[in-house]
Amino acid sequence: MTFEARSSTEAALIKYKEGLSMFTEKMPEFASHFHSFTEACFQEGALTQREKQLIALGISLHAQDEYCIIYHTKGCLDHGCSEQEILEAVGVTAAFGGGASMSQGVTLVQECIGEMSQRMQ
């Protein structure tokens, strides 16, 4: 089944999911263990899933991983984070990652928020 992207954010998410699907077909045991591990990491605990998505977004920005930046910006929005909370996470990350983190935050993160907010209306 092929999905047609309605935005650059959706296109990136589709491309990531397609790549992950192909990898899973070729490396099913590894992919299964990886998925189990990440699912456990994002379960509610002392931190909420919402807080964990904000942390993951910050790490993604610092690592300059555009697919993860998009994925976790969406995760933040899906878990009820406001634009202000997301942008504060960008600011904290920029304190550690400098201009590279800030540049992704003021471009890619804001683009994702805008595109996803339109989709949710």
Side-chain angles (χ1 to χ4, degrees):
M1 178 183 283
T2 303
F3 296 98
E4 187 173 322
R6 295 172 286 185
S7 67
S8 61
T9 299
E10 272 189 10
L13 290 170
I14 290 168
K15 187 174 181 179
Y16 170 76
K17 288 179 181 182
E18 288 172 347
L20 189 57
S21 178
M22 289 188 323
F23 182 84
T24 300
E25 287 176 22
K26 296 174 183 178
M27 300 286 293
E29 189 173 335
F30 178 89
S32 175
H33 290 295
F34 179 77
H35 292 310
S36 294
F37 172 71
T38 57
E39 284 177 17
C41 290
F42 280 88
Q43 288 178 356
E44 289 278 333
L47 297 174
T48 65
Q49 288 181 333
R50 185 176 166 282
E51 292 166 326
K52 290 179 179 189
Q53 286 295 331
L54 285 165
I55 292 167
L57 175 59
I59 293 167
S60 300
L61 284 162
H62 188 68
Q64 296 293 294
D65 184 332
E66 291 191 10
Y67 287 104
C68 285
I69 292 168
I70 293 167
Y71 187 84
H72 291 294
T73 299
K74 181 182 183 314
C76 287
L77 292 169
D78 289 348
H79 285 90
C81 294
S82 69
E83 180 177 12
Q84 186 65 33
E85 290 169 320
I86 294 168
L87 295 179
E88 284 188 25
V90 168
V92 170
T93 305
F96 287 92
S101 295
M102 185 63 130
S103 68
Q104 294 288 6
V106 301
T107 57
L108 187 56
V109 170
Q110 290 189 119
E111 180 181 338
C112 291
I113 291 170
E115 290 179 357
M116 289 181 187
S117 295
Q118 288 176 346
R119 193 187 87 207
M120 297 168 98
Q121 292 175 352

